[in-house]
Amino acid sequence: MRKSFFLTTMLAGLFIGLCSAGALAPTAMAQEFPTKPVTLIIPVGAGGSHDLTARAVTSVASNYLGQPIIIQLKPGGGGAIGSEIVAKSAPDGYTLLFGGMGWSTTYPAVEGRSKGPDDLMAVCRINYSPTIIAARPNLPFKTFKEMLAYAKANPDKLIYGNTGPWGQADLPWKMIGKQTGIKTKNVPYDGGGPALLAVLGGHADMTGGLVTALLPHFKSGKLRALAVLDYKREEKLPDVPTAKEEGVDVVNLMWRSVLAPKGTPRPVIDKLALAFKKMTEDKSVVSMIKQFGDEIQYLGPDEFGKLWREEFEMQKELGKALKK
Amino acid sequence: MGLFENLANGFVVALSASNLFYCALGAILGTAIGVLPGLGPPATIALLLPVTFRMEPVSAVIMLAGIFYGAMYGGSTTSILLNIPGEAASVVTCLDGYKMARNGRAGAALGISAIGSFIAGTLGVLGVSLMAPTLASFALKFGPPEYCCLVFLGLMMAIYLSEESVLKGLMMGALGLLLGTVGLDPVDGIPRFTFGVNRLMDGVDFVVMAMGLFGIAEILCNLEAPENREVFKTSLKGLLPTLEDWRQCWASVLRGSVLGFFIGVLPGGGAIISSFASYALEKRLSKHPERFGKGAIEGVAAPEAANNAASTSSFIPLLTLGIPGNASIAMIFVALMIHGIRPGPLLLQEHPDLFWGVIASMYIGNALLLALNLPLINFWVRMLKVPYQYLAVIVVVVCVIGAYSVNNSAWDIGMMVFFGILGYLLRKFAFPASPFILAMILGPMLEKTLQQSLIASGGDFMTFLNRPISASLLLAAGLLMLTPLAKSLWKKQKG
Amino acid sequence: MRKPGDIVVGLCFLAIGIAFTVGSVKLKIGVPTEPQAGFFPFIDGIILIALSALFLFQAWRGRAGDSPAFGRVGGPAIVVLALVLYVATLETLGYVITTAILSAVVLRVMETKPGILVLVSLILPVVSYLLFDRLLGVTLPPGLMAAIF
């Protein structure tokens, strides 16, 4: 009799103990987090804008997070491989993904591969670059509106060089085509460099690219900027209107962000987000990013998460519509 | 006289003590990574990028450029000694270089490739300093139809090289093109023949494939029976090319340099195509084409010269148009961007010091590389005296690490083993591996440019014949294919 | 002289050609103005089928050319097996342990003396690990070794 009472008390004690430990765990974890270095997986190759941005920002991580952030490159499948590794890893905040629009929104939305907002959650956005639509200067139009009119009058005449299927140039051009009804030849090139070369050589008429790559050619007069696909005008191109101003509601922001596996405790996310906010405000980081031709546009977990979700749903619809 | 003045100023920049140091450092590092397969120049340059954040921009570019062309020198070493092409442009060097090493002429092969590279590199830099802007406009003339025909010509050359049988060469070419389509398709980004495996989306990495088809296959063949394993004949005599060698191949070096220089200006597959093209040209011009593939020294000299000249001229699109022609140059582009310098049409006016400093450093780098590589030959040749089992186990380990480092994953080692088995079987049935590997590299380019041409022309195949450059490239391909046919007809008539 | 090996090889090529052609039809071929994903592999596949048929014809008539004979395939087979196991266990066991085993197998097939075999397969993995992982910045999987250190 006594023995069983003893046993019951012990079991009950154990149960209560476990419960309280469980209840306490998240806060205790957030206070302690991080106790070891955090791994940030970049799912694309070395030397690209994602790699550089991530390296610049995390170079001061231990000052603000208390632990260093180790960058691991896991390229493959256009970002799908690294994304899947992170989505499958433990949601404890120690394995993070450097997100990009291609592998974190477009591929999962349009093609159902890689991992999107259903499998990952937002920590924060670091910055973004809008797509800029550029054209050869010797075409019979000077503005975005005139281009649209020209393309309407001459269907399938303009050759648009994109930077690869569903990339920074292809996706917004498909959106513009869908909204305005213009018909053009959309030729895929193997990245921004080849597409730009084709336009400079007169083998294509237009392309879409990021300001860092296009600016020297705008300055030398070899290219003409038609529209910026952002909510606001680009600082370095004050005379170029946004597509919205010209009456076409297309925005395409190639963002760089930090993402975590789904189910990561909120306190951990907050701690990471705060640390990243401070890192992006660090003077040395700000100046490095500036030299890449970019700027910091930090966005916290809630705002960015909402933006990401909206973008994802919008592209899902678009993908359905375009796939016929 | 502006040119000489500019160049003189460039030399002042490049000859400063610190820049000289960075140039030498880059050249040495480049040679080292060129020798170790798997650690390609793009990866190394990426690794060193953070270091360059704190350097002067000129010094940064000088060092990174040194790594890039140092690797070109070093890449031929493993091709000659171990039959492992370190990068795509040295696949051709394997054909005759490795045979030369087996015939006890490793020293001569390494010597001719170092000196040939030096001559080609220097001629290339001379070319860059004289006509960079003109060549940039030449590169701009190449649209999708021209690229498509150039790639086609390159493929035909690889098939022409396979001495065994044209039919087998064609079959391997077609197989390579098919396997090259595995991955995402270039127009719609739909996964093809990947069976849902994410790893296959990007296709197969070149280094992995080359180490399997050449390095691992070679070892598997030698494992068959220890008693009749072919041993290297290594007499210490003939460390350097003889006068007779020079008489045979000085013209090949010059032809290779010129050809490589012009093809190298084109972004994309310039260096690879130029090495195959110069090999095919030498074989075509030779009075004894049957020596090729069996250790002909021209077969090493010409492609090595071509790929070095090409790597020099591949700076032209970067410096004049701001467009990187290959992955290594893209890294150098990034290094410049970090310093707030945007390479492009305005670079020459905005940063003449940088432009001419880099060019002058290339002259110096080439000389340094020659001075570095000639004494190393002795060391490499001695390495071949290591008993084969130790050499083999080292090759296996280096290949495994090289394959792993491509994507930090064991998957690529598995792919390498697959290509090793394939390479082994191909040898057993006397199928040539080089048209296959070239087709796998160039296949995606051929497909992309073909589709670009067709979409842009509205589905009109005449676009290839209406344009003068593409038409003449096609004509050359046609003539090349007809020569073996004509020869066999000629033989029949005679015999 | 007709060689059965050549006919088998020809049939393999033919099968690959047919498989890719069928696969590309499934992917949709499209028309030249709007080529689809299957356009290029379809053309290629047809070419390979034609070439393999020609090769089979030649092989049947015994004109496919010479090829070197197979030697004893035991050695290569063991090393291939070792490499496959290597790929399977690398991430869990770690670089040093698996590489030691692989080196030992290669050296064994090459008939190295046992003493030297053990020595080389102990030194080589450690030295290469230090050289590549520590010095050259290639991250090799630590595996079990991580638990020890």
Side-chain angles (χ1 to χ4, degrees):
Chain A
M1 196 69 185
R2 258 193 118 160
K3 209 175 171 185
S4 75
F5 172 73
F6 183 66
L7 214 77
T8 321
T9 333
M10 239 181 72
L11 274 175
L14 201 70
F15 182 64
I16 292 163
L18 273 177
C19 282
S20 54
L24 281 172
T27 32
M29 208 174 139
Q31 267 159 18
E32 282 165 28
F33 177 88
T35 54
K36 57 177 184 180
V38 171
T39 305
L40 177 64
I41 290 185
I42 302 180
V44 284
S49 78
H50 286 89
D51 181 30
L52 286 173
T53 308
R55 279 181 206 274
V57 172
T58 57
S59 63
V60 294
S62 31
N63 300 357
Y64 303 104
L65 191 63
Q67 287 284 347
I69 294 182
I70 296 165
I71 287 184
Q72 232 182 48
L73 293 175
K74 290 275 179 192
I81 302 224
S83 302
E84 271 168 29
I85 292 174
V86 176
K88 271 185 217 143
S89 57
D92 54 9
Y94 287 107
T95 313
L96 303 173
L97 178 74
F98 206 66
M101 200 177 91
W103 58 90
S104 306
T105 309
T106 312
Y107 298 154
V110 178
E111 291 171 14
R113 58 193 188 86
S114 189
K115 297 289 174 193
D118 292 338
D119 304 278
L120 296 163
M121 53 201 285
V123 175
C124 65
R125 180 180 78 186
I126 307 287
N127 65 5
Y128 69 84
S129 320
T131 299
I132 292 165
I133 304 288
R136 284 194 290 134
N138 48 354
L139 289 166
F141 50 77
K142 289 195 169 51
T143 65
F144 191 65
K145 267 198 184 126
E146 285 171 25
M147 183 276 291
L148 291 177
Y150 179 84
K152 275 221 176 84
N154 304 281
D156 275 331
K157 185 148 185 226
L158 281 176
I159 301 175
Y160 180 85
N162 72 52
T163 61
W166 302 111
Q168 65 192 24
D170 185 40
L171 183 79
W173 192 249
K174 281 180 172 149
M175 300 201 288
I176 291 171
K178 194 176 157 237
Q179 247 187 54
T180 61
I182 59 165
K183 281 199 166 64
T184 53
K185 290 169 180 162
N186 188 358
V187 181
Y189 281 87
D190 204 7
L196 182 56
L197 196 65
V199 177
L200 291 176
H203 308 289
D205 299 315
M206 302 166 63
T207 187
L210 307 186
V211 73
T212 42
L214 299 180
L215 196 62
H217 301 281
F218 292 145
K219 277 189 186 159
S220 72
K222 295 268 165 58
L223 276 183
R224 175 178 286 140
L226 295 183
V228 178
L229 304 184
D230 194 352
Y231 296 99
K232 61 175 181 63
R233 289 193 179 197
E234 167 65 46
E235 220 173 278
K236 296 178 199 81
L237 300 166
D239 304 330
V240 181
T242 63
K244 272 177 169 296
E245 287 174 50
E246 302 278 274
V248 177
D249 188 17
V250 171
V251 167
N252 196 62
L253 309 177
M254 305 299 292
W255 44 256
R256 300 169 197 93
S257 70
V258 181
L259 308 174
K262 200 176 179 76
T264 306
R266 183 69 209 198
V268 171
I269 295 272
D270 285 337
K271 191 146 190 180
L272 281 168
L274 185 70
F276 271 103
K277 188 170 193 319
K278 284 181 184 157
M279 284 180 232
T280 56
E281 284 161 2
D282 187 285
K283 261 194 195 133
S284 72
V285 173
V286 171
S287 81
M288 261 194 273
I289 297 284
K290 200 161 194 164
Q291 279 182 327
F292 304 156
D294 293 324
E295 51 190 319
I296 294 287
Q297 292 123 330
Y298 177 89
L299 216 54
D302 297 318
E303 299 96 312
F304 174 62
K306 191 168 157 273
L307 206 76
W308 183 25
R309 173 57 74 177
E310 283 170 9
E311 194 183 84
F312 178 77
E313 297 301 337
M314 197 265 290
Q315 292 193 9
K316 214 171 178 173
E317 287 302 306
L318 182 80
K320 270 185 209 150
L322 287 175
K323 276 193 167 169
K324 290 158 225 168
Chain B
M1 285 304 99
L3 172 71
F4 289 100
E5 216 170 282
N6 285 329
L7 204 54
N9 285 339
F11 271 104
V12 172
V13 175
L15 281 172
S16 76
S18 66
N19 284 344
L20 210 54
F21 167 75
Y22 285 121
C23 186
L25 186 68
I28 293 168
L29 266 175
T31 308
I33 57 156
V35 171
L36 298 168
L39 289 173
T44 314
I45 297 178
L47 223 75
L48 282 172
L49 267 184
V51 181
T52 66
F53 286 179
R54 268 165 247 110
M55 283 162 63
E56 283 287 301
V58 187
S59 313
V61 179
I62 286 176
M63 183 178 83
L64 298 179
I67 293 177
F68 174 58
Y69 47 73
M72 286 286 169
Y73 272 73
S76 49
T77 309
T78 43
S79 308
I80 292 168
L81 296 177
L82 304 170
N83 202 25
I84 305 173
E87 18 97 33
S90 34
V91 171
V92 199
T93 312
C94 286
L95 300 178
D96 280 86
Y98 186 63
K99 288 278 157 53
M100 280 183 77
R102 287 216 142 165
N103 299 338
R105 305 217 58 218
L110 289 168
I112 202 78
S113 95
I115 300 170
S117 296
F118 168 72
I119 296 172
T122 309
L123 287 176
V125 185
L126 193 70
V128 172
S129 33
L130 288 175
M131 39 188 185
T134 332
L135 281 167
S137 58
F138 165 71
L140 282 178
K141 285 217 169 66
F142 269 67
E146 284 80 14
Y147 272 107
C148 187
C149 294
L150 180 71
V151 171
F152 183 70
L153 177 63
L155 272 177
M156 286 302 132
M157 279 168 176
I159 289 156
Y160 174 71
L161 302 184
S162 50
E163 82 253 40
E164 311 276 346
S165 111
V166 178
L167 179 60
K168 282 181 172 176
L170 283 170
M171 286 166 78
M172 290 313 292
L175 184 69
L177 288 180
L178 277 182
L179 290 191
T181 62
V182 173
L184 295 178
D185 103 278
V187 181
D188 298 316
I190 298 170
R192 288 188 299 194
F193 313 116
T194 58
F195 309 103
V197 180
N198 261 330
R199 285 276 172 211
L200 284 174
M201 295 263 191
D202 296 329
V204 186
D205 187 86
F206 164 77
V207 177
V208 171
M209 190 166 55
M211 286 191 303
L213 275 176
F214 290 84
I216 298 287
E218 175 72 26
I219 284 170
L220 290 180
C221 283
N222 285 334
L223 280 173
E224 276 189 345
E227 59 275 7
N228 55 20
R229 187 181 305 144
E230 291 175 61
V231 210
F232 290 95
K233 296 177 206 129
T234 38
S235 56
L236 270 178
K237 264 191 318 190
L239 265 187
L240 288 176
T242 60
L243 268 178
E244 172 63 19
D245 292 335
W246 278 112
R247 203 187 51 72
Q248 268 179 5
C249 66
W250 66 268
S252 315
V253 170
L254 291 184
R255 280 193 293 265
S257 309
V258 174
L259 199 62
F261 181 74
F262 283 99
I263 302 182
V265 176
L266 305 170
I272 314 162
I273 297 177
S274 74
S275 64
F276 273 89
S278 66
Y279 186 89
L281 182 72
E282 290 312 314
K283 193 175 170 184
R284 181 78 199 76
L285 291 176
S286 172
K287 288 195 187 85
H288 304 282
E290 68 282 354
R291 283 171 46 248
F292 280 75
K294 297 190 180 82
I297 195 158
E298 305 98 291
V300 179
E304 275 302 307
N307 80 37
N308 267 277
S311 65
T312 310
S313 62
S314 65
F315 274 88
I316 291 177
L318 176 76
L319 294 175
T320 57
L321 298 168
I323 290 162
N326 56 48
S328 309
I329 305 259
M331 294 291 160
I332 296 175
F333 180 72
V334 167
L336 283 171
M337 296 276 290
I338 287 169
H339 289 283
I341 294 170
R342 271 170 243 289
L346 303 176
L347 183 73
L348 194 53
Q349 290 143 43
E350 286 173 358
H351 303 279
D353 279 6
L354 181 109
F355 186 91
W356 293 107
V358 171
I359 286 184
S361 83
M362 289 177 172
Y363 284 102
I364 298 163
N366 264 304
L368 278 174
L369 278 166
L370 186 68
L372 183 74
N373 274 279
L374 283 183
L376 272 177
I377 291 175
N378 196 354
F379 169 77
W380 296 127
V381 174
R382 271 168 204 279
M383 206 185 84
L384 287 185
K385 293 197 149 182
V386 172
Y388 187 74
Q389 63 254 47
Y390 305 126
L391 212 56
V393 81
I394 290 170
V395 170
V396 170
V397 167
V398 170
C399 283
V400 161
I401 295 175
Y404 182 83
S405 69
V406 170
N407 280 324
N408 287 341
S409 107
W411 165 270
D412 290 299
I413 306 177
M415 287 309 279
M416 180 180 76
V417 176
F418 170 79
F419 279 102
I421 301 169
L422 182 68
Y424 172 72
L425 292 176
L426 288 177
R427 279 183 193 211
K428 288 297 153 191
F429 292 101
F431 275 85
S434 54
F436 174 75
I437 200 163
L438 191 75
M440 270 198 77
I441 305 168
L442 295 181
M445 260 181 91
L446 184 66
E447 176 175 16
K448 263 172 229 159
T449 52
L450 175 69
Q451 304 205 342
Q452 285 161 1
S453 314
L454 287 176
I455 297 175
S457 70
D460 184 6
F461 281 95
M462 287 307 284
T463 183
F464 298 108
L465 295 174
N466 289 340
R467 303 164 68 118
I469 300 178
S470 61
S472 32
L473 287 168
L474 270 187
L475 187 71
L479 285 179
L480 195 68
M481 277 328 280
L482 286 178
T483 37
L485 210 72
K487 256 188 199 161
S488 67
L489 284 177
W490 178 251
K491 262 187 207 158
K492 264 186 195 159
Q493 262 189 354
K494 267 179 124 182
Chain C
M1 201 181 66
R2 187 184 303 166
K3 277 195 254 167
D6 280 334
I7 292 178
V8 174
V9 174
L11 287 173
C12 286
F13 273 96
L14 191 66
I16 295 170
I18 292 173
F20 271 92
T21 313
V22 171
S24 41
V25 172
K26 280 190 189 150
L27 282 168
K28 288 193 193 123
I29 300 162
V31 286
T33 21
E34 248 181 276
Q36 303 275 324
F39 184 71
F40 188 75
F42 179 77
I43 300 175
D44 263 350
I46 296 287
I47 293 174
L48 186 61
I49 291 174
L51 290 171
S52 326
L54 192 63
F55 180 78
L56 276 172
F57 178 70
Q58 285 196 353
W60 188 255
R61 309 235 330 241
R63 290 201 314 194
D66 290 329
S67 47
F70 276 96
R72 276 188 284 163
V73 291
I78 292 170
V79 171
V80 165
L81 202 67
L83 279 166
V84 172
L85 282 176
Y86 184 85
V87 172
T89 53
L90 177 68
E91 308 269 4
T92 42
L93 290 183
Y95 172 78
V96 177
I97 297 170
T98 47
T99 307
I101 298 168
L102 179 68
S103 313
V105 172
V106 174
L107 289 170
R108 182 70 205 91
V109 172
M110 296 260 187
E111 289 165 2
T112 318
K113 287 187 197 116
I116 302 172
L117 184 147
V118 172
L119 199 70
V120 174
S121 32
L122 284 181
I123 294 173
L124 185 65
V126 175
V127 171
S128 58
Y129 182 80
L130 293 177
L131 175 70
F132 283 91
D133 190 285
R134 291 298 141 90
L135 216 63
L136 294 171
V138 177
T139 32
L140 294 167
L144 284 183
M145 300 302 263
I148 300 166
F149 296 109

